[in-house]
Structure formats: C-alpha cells, structure tokens
Amino acid sequence: MSIHISAEKGQIADKILLPGDPLRAKFIAENFLEDSVCFNEIRNMFGYTGTYKGHKVSVMGTGMGMPSIHIYARELIVDYGVKKLIRVGTAGAIDPDVHVRDLVLAQAAATNSNMIRNDFPEFDFPQIADFELLDKAYHIAKKYGMTTHVGNVLSTDVFYSNKPERAMELGKLGVKAIEMEAAALYYLATQHKVQALGIMTISDNLNDSSEDTSAEERQTTFTDMMKVGLETLIAND
C-alpha cells in the first residue's frame, strides 16, 4: 500500500484512466470494464481494475487540481509501476472555435502553477504530452467521427479567478481550453519516464455560457473521451 492508495501490489494495471471525479471512475468501471474490482476507497477516491477487450486496465479518480493529481499519479507511478496514464476530465473552452462536448487532446499544458517553477525558477519548462499516446488518441477519435481539437491547454491553480479575462487572452492565441491537472501529470511523466496524455471533454464555454452542461451530465454522459482513452491505452498491446 502507498500512503493514499490501499491497493496491494499487482492489483493495479500498468495502464490507467484518471478522471478527476471519483464517481466518473465508478461510472467507467461499471459501464466499460468487465469483472471490475474496487482497489481503493480511501477518502472516497475510488479506483477499479478490470478488463477492456481482454486487456487489464485500471481507472481511478484524482480529485481536482494539480496538488491532488500529483499525489495520486506519483503513487501510481512510483509505488505501483503504472506506465501509461491518461487523464479523462473536463475543461472550459476559451478558443472561440472550441465548443461544449468537443474533445481536446492536450498536446501541451501551459500553467500558472509554481509546482514546476519551484524546481526550475530560471526556465519556462514546457509540459508536453507523450507523442505516441497523442497520435494514437487523435486517429482513434477521428475514426469514430468525434469533433477533436489538438493543441495547448492552460492548467490553472484557480477555478474562480478574479481575472478571467487574462485566460481569455490566451484563447485568442490558440490555447484551446482551461483545466486544472494536465501540467502536473505531464511533469510527473517526464520525471519518471512514463507516458501521459490529457483527453478533455469541453463542459463549459467561457465564450458562450448557454452551452454549459450540468454536474450530472459531466459525470455520466461524456463517454467519447472514455472510449478514446481506453482504446488508446490498449492500442498495439
């Protein structure tokens, strides 16, 4: 067991989906995995392992924000040997050409967090996705006819910003969406030489709030990213 995960060695697959919402992890396990078994309930951060098309796959919630995903993803990598990690979460569109329910594949993640700056104060160290996972996810999404955008996202430390217009300026520069976890996940993957990717469903449009979705919709209806994530994890296994 690690500090925050109660699984025994071997209970977690070497490939995993990481939704922020633990109830989305439960939904994925119940609707996509066969013979799923819960390996973690500590702090109600549910984690499950089962099979998808005959491949052993895990899914676990990470909570909201970079400190939270950093804790869980690091323990999964260091203590349980996970090699492929795909975030399947929600994001808010800031690019005018990105709309609710579109998929965004985070090729890179800009951030206002000090998590990386604390280690490298003299550099703007870019956080990038694993290209192999990104390439596979893009072609899988296009095969299924899903509206998919590839590009930069902003991983922010603040959900309720006092200066939202600053993020909107990035949208004008082609940043697709704003979210809260990808940069930390990518930094961990770089440090530990594992593969990571962020696949986000747009749940809110900061340019047009009339498109926004409900909490229940976010939990149970964003199945496109779940399917793409799972197919990407098992591709060429």
Side-chain angles (χ1 to χ4, degrees), residues 107-111 116-117 120 123-129 152 182-184 186-188 190:
Q107 184 175 15
T111 185
I116 298 142
R117 236 174 257 124
F120 297 101
F123 301 119
D124 289 324
F125 180 45
Q127 304 311 306
I128 59 173
N152 209 344
Y186 289 0
Y187 186 42
L188 276 170
T190 298

Side-chain angles (χ1 to χ4, degrees), residues 18-182:
L18 299 174
D21 183 354
L23 291 179
R24 191 182 300 127
K26 185 173 186 288
F27 177 87
I28 293 170
E30 292 176 347
N31 290 274
F32 287 91
L33 301 186
E34 294 182 358
D35 303 318
S36 64
V37 175
C38 182
F39 62 75
N40 189 69
E41 293 181 330
I42 292 176
R43 295 174 181 252
N44 281 334
M45 196 60 72
F46 303 125
Y48 303 85
T49 296
T51 59
Y52 178 75
K53 296 185 175 180
H55 300 263
K56 185 179 179 181
V57 174
S58 294
V59 56
M60 183 177 177
T62 64
M64 289 188 285
M66 283 176 270
S68 187
I69 195 173
H70 189 277
I71 290 169
Y72 290 107
R74 187 188 185 283
E75 291 183 15
L76 288 166
I77 295 166
V78 173
D79 296 312
Y80 294 99
V82 178
K83 302 298 184 186
K84 293 183 182 180
L85 305 94
I86 296 182
R87 162 166 156 69
V88 282
T90 56
I94 55 177
D95 183 327
D97 295 324
V98 178
H99 299 280
V100 165
R101 296 190 180 277
D102 290 357
L103 294 188
V104 170
L105 307 182
Q107 184 175 15
T111 185
N112 58 12
S113 171
N114 281 325
M115 183 177 289
I116 298 142
R117 236 174 257 124
N118 286 338
D119 290 344
F120 297 101
E122 70 273 38
F123 301 119
D124 289 324
F125 180 45
Q127 304 311 306
I128 59 173
D130 177 79
F131 180 77
E132 183 182 9
L133 293 183
L134 177 67
D135 182 56
K136 288 177 180 177
Y138 175 75
H139 286 96
I140 289 167
K142 297 303 286 185
K143 181 181 72 172
Y144 288 122
M146 300 170 184
T147 302
T148 306
H149 308 269
V150 178
N152 209 344
V153 300
L154 171 63
S155 298
T156 181
D157 269 340
V158 181
F159 188 88
Y160 294 111
S161 173
N162 291 324
K163 297 181 179 179
E165 66 278 0
R166 299 298 292 152
M168 300 307 292
E169 288 296 314
L170 290 177
K172 296 176 183 177
L173 298 177
V175 176
K176 303 302 179 186
I178 184 169
E179 55 91 67
M180 301 186 72
E181 288 84 22

Side-chain angles (χ1 to χ4, degrees), residues 207-232:
N207 292 295
D208 182 4
S209 61
S210 68
E211 293 187 1
D212 294 355
T213 57
S214 69
E216 183 177 355
E217 287 178 297
R218 297 173 200 181
Q219 183 177 306
T220 62
T221 69
F222 291 168
T223 55
D224 283 355
M225 67 177 172
M226 302 171 191
K227 185 172 183 178
V228 172
L230 287 165
E231 292 289 336
T232 301

